[in-house]
Short mmCIF file of all heavy atoms in Angstrom, two decimals:
data_model
loop_
_atom_site.label_atom_id
_atom_site.label_comp_id
_atom_site.label_asym_id
_atom_site.label_seq_id
_atom_site.Cartn_x
_atom_site.Cartn_y
_atom_site.Cartn_z
N LYS A 82 125.36 38.75 189.97
CA LYS A 82 124.55 39.49 188.97
C LYS A 82 124.49 40.99 189.23
O LYS A 82 124.76 41.78 188.31
CB LYS A 82 123.14 38.90 188.88
CG LYS A 82 123.08 37.49 188.37
CD LYS A 82 123.33 37.42 186.90
CE LYS A 82 123.12 35.98 186.43
NZ LYS A 82 123.81 35.70 185.19
N PRO A 83 124.13 41.45 190.45
CA PRO A 83 124.06 42.91 190.65
C PRO A 83 125.44 43.57 190.53
O PRO A 83 125.54 44.71 190.05
CB PRO A 83 123.48 43.08 192.05
CG PRO A 83 123.50 41.75 192.69
CD PRO A 83 123.64 40.72 191.62
N LEU A 84 126.48 42.87 190.92
CA LEU A 84 127.84 43.43 190.80
C LEU A 84 128.24 43.51 189.33
O LEU A 84 128.91 44.46 188.91
CB LEU A 84 128.84 42.58 191.59
CG LEU A 84 128.59 42.50 193.10
CD1 LEU A 84 129.56 41.52 193.75
CD2 LEU A 84 128.68 43.87 193.74
N GLU A 85 127.81 42.53 188.56
CA GLU A 85 128.08 42.53 187.12
C GLU A 85 127.32 43.67 186.45
O GLU A 85 127.87 44.39 185.61
CB GLU A 85 127.68 41.17 186.55
CG GLU A 85 128.26 40.86 185.20
CD GLU A 85 128.00 39.43 184.76
OE1 GLU A 85 127.15 38.74 185.34
OE2 GLU A 85 128.67 39.02 183.80
N ARG A 86 126.04 43.86 186.83
CA ARG A 86 125.24 44.96 186.25
C ARG A 86 125.85 46.31 186.56
O ARG A 86 125.76 47.24 185.75
CB ARG A 86 123.80 44.91 186.77
CG ARG A 86 122.95 43.84 186.11
CD ARG A 86 121.47 44.01 186.41
NE ARG A 86 121.15 43.88 187.83
CZ ARG A 86 120.86 42.74 188.44
NH1 ARG A 86 120.85 41.61 187.77
NH2 ARG A 86 120.58 42.72 189.72
N ARG A 87 126.47 46.44 187.74
CA ARG A 87 127.13 47.70 188.12
C ARG A 87 128.49 47.87 187.46
O ARG A 87 129.15 48.90 187.64
CB ARG A 87 127.30 47.77 189.64
CG ARG A 87 126.01 48.02 190.38
CD ARG A 87 126.20 47.98 191.89
NE ARG A 87 127.09 49.01 192.39
CZ ARG A 87 127.51 49.08 193.64
NH1 ARG A 87 127.09 48.19 194.53
NH2 ARG A 87 128.33 50.03 194.03
N GLY A 88 128.95 46.85 186.74
CA GLY A 88 130.24 46.93 186.07
C GLY A 88 131.43 46.71 187.00
O GLY A 88 132.56 47.08 186.68
N LEU A 89 131.17 46.10 188.17
CA LEU A 89 132.24 45.88 189.15
C LEU A 89 132.96 44.56 188.93
O LEU A 89 134.12 44.41 189.33
CB LEU A 89 131.67 45.92 190.57
CG LEU A 89 130.93 47.22 190.93
CD1 LEU A 89 130.28 47.09 192.31
CD2 LEU A 89 131.88 48.41 190.87
N VAL A 90 132.29 43.60 188.30
CA VAL A 90 132.88 42.30 187.99
C VAL A 90 132.48 41.91 186.57
O VAL A 90 131.50 42.41 186.02
CB VAL A 90 132.45 41.19 188.98
CG1 VAL A 90 132.79 41.56 190.41
CG2 VAL A 90 130.98 40.87 188.84
N ARG A 91 133.25 40.98 186.02
CA ARG A 91 132.95 40.43 184.70
C ARG A 91 133.08 38.92 184.80
O ARG A 91 134.08 38.41 185.32
CB ARG A 91 133.90 40.99 183.66
CG ARG A 91 133.59 40.61 182.24
CD ARG A 91 134.46 41.33 181.20
NE ARG A 91 135.88 41.35 181.52
CZ ARG A 91 136.56 42.42 181.97
NH1 ARG A 91 135.94 43.57 182.17
NH2 ARG A 91 137.84 42.34 182.21
N VAL A 92 132.08 38.20 184.33
CA VAL A 92 132.11 36.75 184.30
C VAL A 92 132.38 36.32 182.86
O VAL A 92 131.68 36.76 181.94
CB VAL A 92 130.78 36.15 184.81
CG1 VAL A 92 130.82 34.63 184.77
CG2 VAL A 92 130.46 36.65 186.22
N THR A 93 133.40 35.49 182.68
CA THR A 93 133.79 35.05 181.34
C THR A 93 133.95 33.54 181.32
O THR A 93 134.10 32.89 182.36
CB THR A 93 135.12 35.70 180.91
OG1 THR A 93 136.13 35.39 181.87
CG2 THR A 93 134.99 37.21 180.78
N ILE A 94 133.94 33.01 180.12
CA ILE A 94 134.17 31.58 179.91
C ILE A 94 135.67 31.35 179.89
O ILE A 94 136.42 32.10 179.27
CB ILE A 94 133.53 31.12 178.59
CG1 ILE A 94 132.01 31.32 178.65
CG2 ILE A 94 133.87 29.68 178.28
CD1 ILE A 94 131.31 31.11 177.33
N ASP A 95 136.10 30.30 180.60
CA ASP A 95 137.51 29.94 180.66
C ASP A 95 137.99 29.50 179.27
O ASP A 95 137.29 28.77 178.57
CB ASP A 95 137.70 28.79 181.67
CG ASP A 95 139.15 28.43 181.86
OD1 ASP A 95 139.87 29.20 182.53
OD2 ASP A 95 139.56 27.38 181.32
N ASP A 96 139.17 29.96 178.89
CA ASP A 96 139.73 29.60 177.58
C ASP A 96 140.01 28.11 177.46
O ASP A 96 139.77 27.51 176.41
CB ASP A 96 141.03 30.39 177.32
CG ASP A 96 140.76 31.88 177.15
OD1 ASP A 96 139.64 32.25 176.74
OD2 ASP A 96 141.68 32.67 177.44
N ALA A 97 140.51 27.51 178.52
CA ALA A 97 140.92 26.10 178.47
C ALA A 97 139.75 25.14 178.64
O ALA A 97 139.77 24.03 178.10
CB ALA A 97 141.97 25.84 179.54
N ASP A 98 138.73 25.53 179.41
CA ASP A 98 137.59 24.65 179.68
C ASP A 98 136.30 25.46 179.55
O ASP A 98 135.97 26.24 180.43
CB ASP A 98 137.73 24.04 181.08
CG ASP A 98 136.61 23.08 181.44
OD1 ASP A 98 135.63 22.96 180.67
OD2 ASP A 98 136.71 22.44 182.50
N LYS A 99 135.59 25.26 178.48
CA LYS A 99 134.39 26.06 178.18
C LYS A 99 133.27 25.88 179.20
O LYS A 99 132.34 26.67 179.26
CB LYS A 99 133.87 25.72 176.77
CG LYS A 99 134.88 25.95 175.66
CD LYS A 99 135.29 27.40 175.60
CE LYS A 99 136.27 27.62 174.45
NZ LYS A 99 137.13 28.75 174.64
N ARG A 100 133.35 24.85 180.03
CA ARG A 100 132.34 24.65 181.08
C ARG A 100 132.60 25.52 182.30
O ARG A 100 131.73 25.70 183.14
CB ARG A 100 132.31 23.18 181.52
CG ARG A 100 131.91 22.22 180.41
CD ARG A 100 132.18 20.81 180.82
NE ARG A 100 133.62 20.67 181.09
CZ ARG A 100 134.18 19.61 181.65
NH1 ARG A 100 133.46 18.59 182.01
NH2 ARG A 100 135.48 19.57 181.84
N THR A 101 133.81 26.04 182.41
CA THR A 101 134.24 26.80 183.58
C THR A 101 134.06 28.29 183.35
O THR A 101 134.36 28.81 182.29
CB THR A 101 135.72 26.49 183.89
OG1 THR A 101 135.85 25.09 184.12
CG2 THR A 101 136.21 27.25 185.11
N ARG A 102 133.55 28.97 184.39
CA ARG A 102 133.41 30.42 184.36
C ARG A 102 134.44 31.04 185.30
O ARG A 102 134.67 30.53 186.39
CB ARG A 102 132.01 30.85 184.80
CG ARG A 102 130.87 30.28 183.98
CD ARG A 102 130.81 30.93 182.60
NE ARG A 102 129.70 30.47 181.79
CZ ARG A 102 129.77 29.49 180.89
NH1 ARG A 102 130.90 28.83 180.74
NH2 ARG A 102 128.74 29.16 180.16
N ARG A 103 135.02 32.11 184.86
CA ARG A 103 135.97 32.86 185.67
C ARG A 103 135.39 34.24 185.97
O ARG A 103 134.65 34.80 185.16
CB ARG A 103 137.32 33.00 184.97
CG ARG A 103 138.01 31.65 184.83
CD ARG A 103 139.49 31.79 184.57
NE ARG A 103 140.10 30.47 184.58
CZ ARG A 103 140.67 29.92 185.63
NH1 ARG A 103 140.74 30.59 186.77
NH2 ARG A 103 141.21 28.72 185.56
N VAL A 104 135.76 34.77 187.14
CA VAL A 104 135.21 36.06 187.56
C VAL A 104 136.37 37.04 187.73
O VAL A 104 137.34 36.76 188.44
CB VAL A 104 134.44 35.94 188.89
CG1 VAL A 104 133.70 37.23 189.18
CG2 VAL A 104 133.48 34.77 188.85
N THR A 105 136.23 38.18 187.08
CA THR A 105 137.28 39.21 187.11
C THR A 105 136.75 40.46 187.80
O THR A 105 135.63 40.91 187.53
CB THR A 105 137.69 39.57 185.66
OG1 THR A 105 138.08 38.40 184.98
CG2 THR A 105 138.82 40.58 185.65
N LEU A 106 137.56 41.01 188.65
CA LEU A 106 137.28 42.30 189.26
C LEU A 106 137.65 43.36 188.22
O LEU A 106 138.79 43.40 187.75
CB LEU A 106 138.12 42.44 190.53
CG LEU A 106 137.85 43.55 191.50
CD1 LEU A 106 136.42 43.50 192.01
CD2 LEU A 106 138.82 43.46 192.66
N THR A 107 136.70 44.20 187.83
CA THR A 107 136.96 45.23 186.81
C THR A 107 137.68 46.43 187.44
O THR A 107 137.71 46.56 188.67
CB THR A 107 135.63 45.71 186.19
OG1 THR A 107 134.87 46.36 187.21
CG2 THR A 107 134.86 44.57 185.55
#
Side-chain angles (χ1 to χ4, degrees):
K82 295 286 185 202
L84 299 175
E85 197 172 15
R86 283 193 298 271
R87 286 176 62 187
L89 303 174
V90 303
R91 187 173 46 255
V92 180
T93 57
I94 297 171
D95 184 75
D96 293 334
D98 182 352
K99 302 299 182 205
R100 297 169 299 170
T101 301
R102 301 288 183 265
R103 293 199 175 266
V104 189
T105 304
L106 192 58
T107 65

